[in-house]
Amino acid sequence: MKIGVPKEIKNHEYRVGLTPASVAELVAAGHEVLVETKAGMGIDFDDTAYTKVGAKIAPEAAAVFADSDMIVKVKEPQPGEIAMLEPRHLLFTYLHLAADKPQAEGLMKSGATCIAYETVTSNSGALPLLKPMSEVAGRMSVQVASHYLEKEQGGRGELLGGVPGVAPCKVAILGGGVSGINAAQMAVGQRADVTIYDISNERLAELDMHFGSQIKTAYASKAAIAEAVARSQVVIGAVLVPGAAAPKLVTREMLGTMMRGSVLVDIAIDQGGCFETSHATTHDDPVYEVDGVIHYCVANMPGAVARTSAFALNNATLPFVLRLANLGAEAAMKADRHLANGLNVYKGKIAFKAVADDLDLPYEAWA
Ligand SMILES: NC(=O)c1ccc[n+]([C@@H]2O[C@H](COP(=O)([O-])OP(=O)(O)OC[C@H]3O[C@@H](n4cnc5c(N)ncnc54)[C@H](O)[C@@H]3O)[C@@H](O)[C@H]2O)c1
């Protein structure tokens, strides 16, 4: 198959759909890969890194789209990219269509087969192509919190892990899923005093087994969260209710009980955020203060560590890219129901029920 990798054009997006290592695997499997010039420049993959492993370089995105059957990207296609999609194309990337009707309608009009990373499933019912980005965001959340606790950044002037003779900061992690456990691992590594709150008793038991005495766990009742907020220097929001807006666990009122210069990191901001006072921010201007409490609410945290994120994403996507390239979209989806769950748009119709319902567009099952 001919596989195309355009340069990402969304603002501040430096990740790339295929790393040179992934291209090498595809070339070894007998496929042709066409990469837009400078596609990997932002994360130190120059064109030579791609030609060395057998890719061809295209001078512009139009040439990539014109000469490829499958397009592998990171972010949802922008209007100019949608205009280049045709019915013969297979698009494999993050789409997040439920919140983006113009994109959904554009993809329907294109006639292309569009498989979204975020709805591909695994045997355990998890979302394996979202997981690496939650891992990145979870680990980053503690790094970011430590930074903003510094006096220069407007924080309390406290070191997360303290020093001998000075107590470490208290870190409350709301939600102990993928991002929550990764945040906890980093916070424990920095010797913070960590408590994870969740409403799943099963998950709390797993976390207890995993960390032993390194952390505490608590059921996420309103009272427990109120208490946590009042005594923690860092609160990390990492909850997810699949398919729904994040619950507002920390109210405006609770915020008033927090110490001045403490830090909230709302990882769940992409689902609306779990603090009442959260609103989405960008890497250009990542924080703001309410009641003297620093809020970090960047909706695409992994973008800040684009190189790590590109590798992590490719580790997860490559097996699916190979299957799609080897078998073609339809046969690959017939052979793997988890990949088929990724199908969002097919032959001009929305093929994912929840997206069709959310956008009030007609749904048609693909097979
Ligand atoms: N901001 C970013 O850049 C970024 C990056 C990656 C992921 N995310 C987002 O982070 C959020 C978390 O993702 P994840 O992969 O860790 O999810 P996950 O499903 O692995 O974990 C979510 C956890 O939240 C718990 N939970 C649900 N409701 C709760 C409540 N009321 N109180 C306490 N716990 C509750 C669940 O039991 C689960 O353990 C999602 O919204 C995801 O989209 C954001």
Side-chain angles (χ1 to χ4, degrees):
M1 190 183 270
K2 289 182 168 177
I3 302 156
V5 183
K7 180 170 168 32
E8 293 296 319
I9 52 176
K10 198 166 176 178
N11 195 22
H12 284 300
E13 182 54 65
Y14 303 103
R15 289 174 290 177
V16 61
L18 293 175
T19 59
S22 296
V23 171
E25 300 276 344
L26 287 159
V27 170
H31 303 293
E32 288 176 38
V33 184
L34 186 60
V35 179
E36 183 180 349
T37 184
K38 299 193 169 81
M41 279 298 273
I43 50 172
D44 206 21
F45 296 136
D46 60 13
D47 289 352
T48 319
Y50 283 103
T51 51
K52 260 194 204 155
V53 293
K56 291 203 178 83
I57 301 297
E60 57 194 11
V64 174
F65 281 77
D67 214 12
S68 305
D69 307 312
M70 168 159 50
I71 303 291
V72 182
K73 276 177 49 63
V74 178
K75 295 306 284 183
E76 70 278 4
Q78 304 300 296
E81 294 174 316
I82 294 175
M84 291 188 275
L85 284 170
E86 295 174 19
R88 66 189 176 82
H89 280 128
L90 164 60
L91 174 68
F92 193 38
T93 190
Y94 286 121
L95 292 176
H96 295 290
L97 287 185
D100 191 350
K101 196 164 185 177
Q103 189 204 160
E105 287 173 338
L107 293 178
M108 288 164 72
K109 206 169 140 210
S110 78
T113 298
C114 306
I115 302 182
Y117 291 160
E118 70 273 9
T119 61
V120 171
T121 51
S122 70
N123 275 336
S124 64
L127 303 170
L129 305 190
L130 268 189
K131 189 177 175 201
M133 295 305 103
S134 289
E135 290 169 342
V136 170
R139 292 193 174 202
M140 234 186 104
S141 65
V142 172
Q143 175 172 324
V144 159
S146 308
H147 176 67
Y148 285 104
L149 274 178
E150 289 172 16
K151 199 69 203 159
E152 292 278 287
Q153 308 304 325
R156 285 185 67 71
E158 289 192 70
L159 185 61
L160 199 74
V163 288
V166 181
C169 292
K170 290 190 166 56
V171 176
I173 300 174
L174 311 181
V178 178
S179 53
I181 192 173
N182 277 277
Q185 282 164 345
M186 292 301 105
V188 163
Q190 288 196 39
R191 294 175 171 241
D193 177 353
V194 182
T195 308
I196 308 182
Y197 299 79
D198 206 295
I199 47 169
S200 160
N201 286 315
E202 205 182 329
R203 186 61 180 163
L204 290 173
E206 284 168 7
L207 293 164
D208 182 76
M209 285 293 284
H210 178 83
F211 287 103
S213 58
Q214 288 180 308
I215 61 150
K216 284 158 256 169
T217 58
Y219 186 81
S221 64
K222 283 192 178 59
I225 291 174
E227 199 196 320
V229 166
R231 66 188 173 89
S232 302
Q233 286 92 338
V234 173
V235 182
I236 295 173
V239 299
L240 176 65
V241 180
K248 302 287 180 213
L249 301 181
V250 176
T251 61
R252 179 79 178 78
E253 206 183 337
M254 285 182 201
L255 196 76
T257 68
M258 278 193 89
M259 290 173 262
R260 290 189 75 75
S262 49
V263 179
L264 299 182
V265 180
D266 200 346
I267 304 178
I269 190 67
D270 61 341
Q271 299 291 332
C274 58
F275 308 125
E276 210 170 71
T277 44
S278 291
H279 64 73
T281 58
T282 62
H283 290 296
D284 284 337
D285 192 10
V287 293
Y288 60 94
E289 260 185 55
V290 181
D291 283 355
V293 176
I294 298 175
H295 290 54
Y296 177 99
C297 304
V298 175
N300 65 330
M301 293 171 68
V305 288
R307 196 172 152 91
T308 300
S309 300
F311 283 120
L313 181 62
N314 269 246
N315 290 346
T317 55
L318 180 63
F320 294 103
V321 175
L322 271 166
R323 237 168 282 157
L324 286 166
N326 290 342
L327 301 174
E330 275 142 32
M333 289 194 292
K334 279 196 181 117
D336 180 352
R337 69 188 166 86
H338 293 301
L339 180 58
N341 285 338
L343 186 67
N344 275 234
V345 184
Y346 185 66
K347 293 196 171 155
K349 300 274 167 39
I350 298 291
F352 195 90
K353 183 86 171 63
V355 167
D357 290 350
D358 278 351
L359 296 179
D360 204 16
L361 288 169
Y363 162 73
E364 196 170 302
W366 78 284

